[in-house]
Amino acid sequence: MSDYLQVILWFFLIELLGLLSIPLAENAGNRLADGGISAAKTLGILLVAYFSWIFSYIWGFNRVTILISVLVLCLLSIGLYRKKRIFPERKILLVNELVFLTAFFFFLIIRVHLPEIYMHEKFMDSAFLNAVIRTSSFPPADPWFAGGSLDFYYYFGYLSVGVPGVLCAVKPSILFNLAVALTFALSFNLFFGIGYNLTHGKIRYGLLTAGFGMLLGNLQGLFEFVSMYVLKEQVSSMYYWSSSRVIPFTINEFPYFTFIHGDLHSHMLAIPFQLLVLGFLLNIYFRKNEHSIFENSLSFFTFSIALGFLFPSNSWDFPVYFGLTLFVIFAFYYGHYIQKKNTSYSISGFFSTFILVSVFSFLPYLPFYLSFSPQAAEGFDFVLPESRTTIDKFLILFGLFLFLAFSFLVIRLDSGRKIGFFILLIGGSILLSMAWAIPLLAVLLPLLTLSLFIFLKDLPERSATGFVSLLIATAAFLGLLCEVVFLDDPISGEFARMNTVFKFYIHLWIFLAIAASYSYYALRSFSWGESGNRGLLKGAYVKRTWAAVLVLLVISCSFFPVVSTCTRIKEMNAEPSLDGMEYMKELDMGDYNAINWMQENITGSPVILEAAADDGGYGYTSRVSANTGLPTVIGWARHERFWGRDHREVKQRIKDVRSIYSTGNEKKALELMDKYNVSYVYIGNLERQTYSVKLDKFEDETCFEPVYMGTVTIYKLKEICKR
């Protein structure tokens, strides 16, 4: 079957999963304007990935298991459809399909011009994706540490894109690029759905939300453009890079940077699953005048599975959305108390629902937790004053969103007294920020206080305003949290809080982007005088000034996506292709042909031997394991140390790899190969350049069989010589 036919089958499978999931999505999103349709494709992928994983403990992970999982999804949907006869309006279905297809093909075209699975951490991502595709049981083998497994890493994001790829037999180096485009499109579609549902069916505001969330950059894009192309200053990196490094010694990614950068990391793959949970939470928040927080047991199951999926996809996301879930459950039962005045039922309902959601977002993933053994984190530590974020850097990142969010919140202060309290709060926050050496207190404490006030005030109504206020409050809280504590991982010194800011600021972007787009809708939909305070922000001059600032901010944030896309494609200068290994044809044709042969002819997960280096990674070493998923003795050493592997063992493995290639003693080589259960020895140009390879020992036909010959030679160790 040709690569293109496999891609077409893959695409139709994605469409089929979306179609099959419509009844389940509508059941879990029946209070939303789109009936949950924007969540259908993501939900279908999630459920089939989950069923495939859980069934693998019975039948193993293979195509049959995946087909059974698709059949289970089909039976669930047919049963639900026959019972409730729910199906979306044609207009809603067509609009969401058009949004998805436009986003998918837009970014697929970009990936076709940026296809290379090389540089940065793409080898790591490719290694994990290939390891998941190749495995027959979970957790998959660690492709960079023979004998180890991915029991230290959250791999469900790779599973979610790997499952459709396995079923359609898509070449992994093509699947990598399809996965980036698919994740972009799913995320764009879900952002659109959230904006559409918050505004009760306004398509243009759904598109605005998707644009804010997925397309805009931060203000650094404008500053870098002026620096590079107007002032002609020398810069140390490519145009797009500095927009993700605004706060010194941290990473400040946002969706468009993440996708244009192209590393298939867990935090990218998790974005649509975060938005899926957010959409379901919005549905729960809108369930006013309902006796139960969930429509039925199936909607409860759907939500719990979706929430629980976040931890094994990207564990940083789960506590954030678990906390949001807690507040939404509280909002439901508080509203029930206001209506029914039944204290005992409201309290018991809150705690019972909280416990049930906790249990059923955990239990379905119990096999994962039983094997999960993270070793990189060692608790929390406090942020030093000199490492904290300054206000100017924070405004560069979120200036547009904060401008709209503050406008939205402040205009709801409906009396001069409340405005006075708010001004006092700002003054007090400034004083506290100076006293405690936390600059962001001056911005985030007023934002947190005001948004919580609006949220609590909205509880009897549970309108979109209250939900958006909750998102703003969560973003403000997370921003302050990053100024106080950080996860203590192996990165130390000035970069100690890099990962904490990196992971949590993605949430800030998502929440504030949604809040900003809804804020614009709310401010435009109601006259300034009717939206709250009648004196504040009133008058033609004020409105024109406000609009001018907004336009300026939007234009400034639009520089990044336009310039970064053009410059990335120009700098890459790659031949358009879907195959992420095409670059190897020029770099090393021998590797390209040999790796393709291995993908087609080696089954299971036997250990291979390839060149290793103690140079920290990010280079060409480990290219075989990265592109096949076959475990090698030792891959990128720095990463394995970061993930918690013993430093002495990593060093010893690097030494042993050198010995196997370089020794002329066949017995010694066999002993070391037996130590790591090596089945194949790969000898390409990189191995010849790195080691003084002694080939004589591999020519012994008693123990070694040359299974591939060319500029690359691959030897297979015969069973008779395995101990």
Side-chain angles (χ1 to χ4, degrees):
M1 190 185 298
S2 70
D3 289 342
Y4 290 111
L5 180 56
Q6 290 167 343
V7 170
I8 292 170
L9 288 175
W10 172 89
F11 180 79
F12 279 111
L13 175 62
I14 298 300
E15 291 290 339
L16 175 63
L17 294 180
L19 185 64
L20 290 176
S21 300
I22 286 175
L24 291 167
E26 285 201 304
N27 185 55
N30 62 343
R31 292 297 182 273
L32 301 177
D34 71 353
I37 298 305
S38 57
K41 285 187 176 66
T42 303
L43 179 61
I45 291 169
L46 182 153
L47 290 176
V48 170
Y50 172 75
F51 291 145
S52 300
W53 171 75
I54 202 70
F55 291 157
S56 73
Y57 288 91
I58 304 172
W59 300 300
F61 183 65
N62 49 54
R63 287 185 190 172
V64 174
T65 306
I66 298 171
L67 280 171
I68 293 172
S69 302
V70 174
L71 179 60
V72 170
L73 175 63
C74 186
L75 292 174
L76 282 172
S77 294
I78 291 173
L80 185 61
Y81 176 74
R82 292 183 64 182
K83 182 179 179 180
K84 304 190 73 171
R85 297 289 177 180
I86 50 177
F87 205 76
E89 295 179 18
R90 184 181 301 175
K91 176 186 174 182
I92 295 174
L93 192 62
L94 289 176
V95 166
N96 273 278
E97 188 62 22
L98 183 60
V99 168
F100 171 79
L101 291 175
T102 302
F104 176 76
F105 286 109
F106 163 70
F107 216 82
L108 188 65
I109 292 170
I110 292 177
R111 285 306 304 170
V112 163
H113 289 85
L114 301 171
E116 298 183 0
I117 307 174
Y118 188 40
M119 303 303 290
H120 304 292
E121 290 188 310
K122 292 179 181 63
F123 268 12
M124 182 197 85
D125 302 318
S126 179
F128 285 174
L129 177 60
N130 275 283
V132 168
I133 291 172
R134 186 172 286 276
T135 193
S136 59
S137 61
F138 293 97
D142 182 349
W144 283 350
F145 198 85
S149 64
L150 289 182
D151 57 357
F152 57 85
Y153 204 80
Y154 27 84
Y155 56 82
F156 270 49
Y158 300 100
L159 178 67
S160 69
V161 295
V163 162
V166 170
L167 189 57
C168 298
V170 178
K171 186 178 178 182
S173 54
I174 292 177
L175 181 62
F176 186 103
N177 287 318
L178 290 175
V180 176
L182 174 65
T183 306
F184 180 90
L186 293 174
S187 303
F188 192 94
N189 198 180
L190 282 157
F191 265 118
F192 168 82
I194 291 171
Y196 182 91
N197 292 320
L198 281 170
T199 58
H200 308 291
K202 302 291 193 300
I203 293 176
R204 62 182 179 275
Y205 290 109
L207 292 172
L208 181 68
T209 305
F212 274 20
M214 293 298 296
L215 296 180
L216 286 185
N218 55 44
L219 296 174
Q220 183 65 22
L222 171 62
F223 301 152
E224 193 73 359
F225 177 83
V226 172
S227 176
M228 291 182 66
Y229 300 106
V230 178
L231 300 179
K232 306 294 184 181
E233 294 178 350
Q234 291 293 111
V235 295
S236 59
S237 58
M238 295 178 285
Y239 165 82
Y240 81 105
W241 188 254
S242 70
S243 287
S244 70
R245 300 301 189 274
V246 174
I247 302 173
F249 310 113
T250 70
I251 299 173
N252 326 122
E253 286 195 22
F254 47 93
Y256 199 80
F257 173 91
T258 300
F259 284 96
I260 201 71
H261 183 56
D263 285 1
L264 194 66
H265 276 2
S266 292
H267 71 276
M268 172 203 282
L269 292 166
I271 291 174
F273 303 114
Q274 293 178 50
L275 295 170
L276 177 68
V277 172
L278 204 57
F280 288 159
L281 286 174
L282 179 60
N283 183 77
I284 295 171
Y285 196 80
F286 281 168
R287 285 180 63 82
K288 295 179 287 188
N289 305 317
E290 298 288 344
H291 181 73
S292 174
I293 192 169
F294 294 103
E295 182 72 12
N296 47 44
S297 58
L298 188 56
S299 66
F300 166 74
F301 169 79
T302 303
F303 175 78
S304 298
I305 289 291
L307 178 62
F309 197 84
L310 294 181
F311 191 98
S313 298
N314 187 37
S315 61
W316 295 80
D317 301 336
F318 182 78
V320 175
Y321 285 88
F322 188 78
L324 270 177
T325 300
L326 177 63
F327 273 94
V328 171
I329 294 172
F330 165 77
F332 178 88
Y333 284 103
Y334 182 79
H336 190 276
Y337 166 75
I338 292 174
Q339 292 173 1
K340 307 294 184 181
K341 303 299 181 183
N342 190 336
T343 306
S344 61
Y345 175 82
S346 298
I347 293 176
S348 63
F350 169 77
F351 282 105
S352 61
T353 302
F354 172 69
I355 292 169
L356 282 172
V357 169
S358 302
V359 170
F360 283 92
S361 63
F362 171 78
L363 276 183
Y365 298 93
L366 186 59
F368 171 84
Y369 289 106
L370 290 176
S371 63
F372 189 53
S373 181
Q375 302 173 39
E378 299 179 358
F380 294 88
D381 206 344
F382 290 100
V383 179
L384 297 175
E386 59 269 22
S387 299
R388 288 173 177 149
T389 308
T390 56
I391 293 176
D392 62 321
K393 302 298 184 185
F394 195 77
L395 292 179
I396 288 173
L397 292 173
F398 302 111
L400 168 62
F401 299 158
L402 291 172
F403 175 73
L404 283 166
F406 267 116
S407 299
F408 164 70
L409 294 173
V410 169
I411 205 169
R412 275 158 178 74
L413 297 175
D414 53 9
S415 70
R417 184 180 180 185
K418 290 177 181 177
I419 295 172
F421 279 126
F422 180 64
I423 293 172
L424 287 175
L425 175 62
I426 293 175
S429 300
I430 293 172
L431 293 175
L432 285 176
S433 71
M434 293 187 292
W436 293 347
I438 306 177
L440 287 191
L441 268 176
V443 175
L444 294 182
L445 185 57
L447 187 67
L448 174 62
T449 306
L450 184 54
S451 55
L452 276 178
F453 171 75
I454 301 298
F455 167 68
L456 293 172
K457 185 180 177 182
D458 183 71
L459 283 178
E461 295 296 325
R462 296 214 304 282
S463 68
T465 294
F467 189 81
V468 168
S469 298
L470 177 60
L471 295 185
I472 297 172
T474 305
F477 174 78
L478 291 174
L480 286 174
L481 186 68
C482 291
E483 299 305 299
V484 180
V485 297
F486 64 90
L487 187 70
D488 188 9
D489 58 28
I491 300 177
S492 58
E494 293 175 315
F495 291 91
R497 73 180 190 127
M498 180 183 75
N499 272 320
T500 300
V501 172
F502 172 26
K503 297 293 188 176
F504 282 137
Y505 269 43
I506 290 285
H507 299 121
L508 263 70
W509 184 279
I510 290 173
F511 296 156
L512 291 176
I514 293 170
S517 58
Y518 179 79
S519 298
Y520 180 74
Y521 158 77
L523 291 166
R524 284 295 303 270
S525 298
F526 306 101
S527 69
W528 295 95
E530 295 173 354
S531 295
N533 176 58
R534 294 181 178 274
L536 196 63
L537 299 178
K538 191 176 182 181
Y541 177 77
V542 173
K543 289 181 181 179
R544 284 197 294 268
T545 303
W546 183 90
V549 172
L550 176 61
V551 170
L552 183 62
L553 287 171
V554 171
I555 292 173
S556 299
C557 292
S558 299
F559 271 81
F560 179 85
V562 176
V563 180
S564 66
T565 303
C566 295
T567 55
R568 282 282 284 155
I569 291 173
K570 183 179 179 181
E571 288 159 358
M572 183 73 72
N573 193 30
E575 287 295 322
S577 173
L578 264 180
D579 190 344
M581 281 177 50
E582 283 289 305
Y583 73 94
M584 278 190 185
K585 289 182 177 179
E586 293 187 11
L587 186 63
D588 193 322
M589 189 68 181
D591 280 344
Y592 178 83
N593 291 329
I595 290 172
N596 275 310
W597 178 87
M598 296 175 79
Q599 289 174 338
E600 295 171 2
N601 293 278
I602 299 179
T603 58
S605 298
V607 178
I608 60 169
L609 184 75
E610 64 173 321
D614 196 11
D615 60 358
Y618 301 102
Y620 192 56
T621 56
S622 307
R623 82 283 193 198
V624 181
S625 51
N627 287 287
T628 64
L630 295 169
T632 191
V633 175
I634 183 67
W636 283 3
R638 178 182 177 184
H639 284 66
E640 286 294 343
R641 293 190 187 103
F642 181 84
W643 295 326
R645 302 294 186 189
D646 183 82
H647 289 211
R648 288 171 297 180
E649 184 175 0
V650 170
K651 188 175 182 179
Q652 184 61 49
R653 287 184 176 228
I654 294 170
K655 182 179 178 181
D656 288 344
V657 170
R658 176 175 293 277
S659 296
I660 295 172
Y661 279 113
S662 302
T663 184
N665 188 327
E666 183 179 346
K667 181 180 178 182
K668 180 180 179 182
L670 288 171
E671 287 176 351
L672 289 173
M673 289 175 68
D674 179 67
K675 178 180 178 182
Y676 300 109
N677 196 28
V678 173
S679 295
Y680 293 89
V681 177
Y682 187 99
I683 303 175
N685 289 329
L686 182 62
E687 284 70 28
R688 297 186 188 98
Q689 294 166 7
T690 306
Y691 311 111
S692 299
V693 181
K694 300 293 192 297
L695 289 175
D696 291 348
K697 58 183 177 291
F698 300 124
E699 299 298 329
D700 179 5
E701 295 183 1
T702 304
C703 290
F704 295 97
E705 175 190 0
V707 293
Y708 181 88
M709 300 288 288
T711 55
V712 170
T713 304
I714 303 174
Y715 294 96
K716 181 179 181 180
L717 180 63
K718 294 182 178 180
E719 292 295 328
I720 193 173
C721 292
K722 290 184 178 180
R723 302 182 184 183

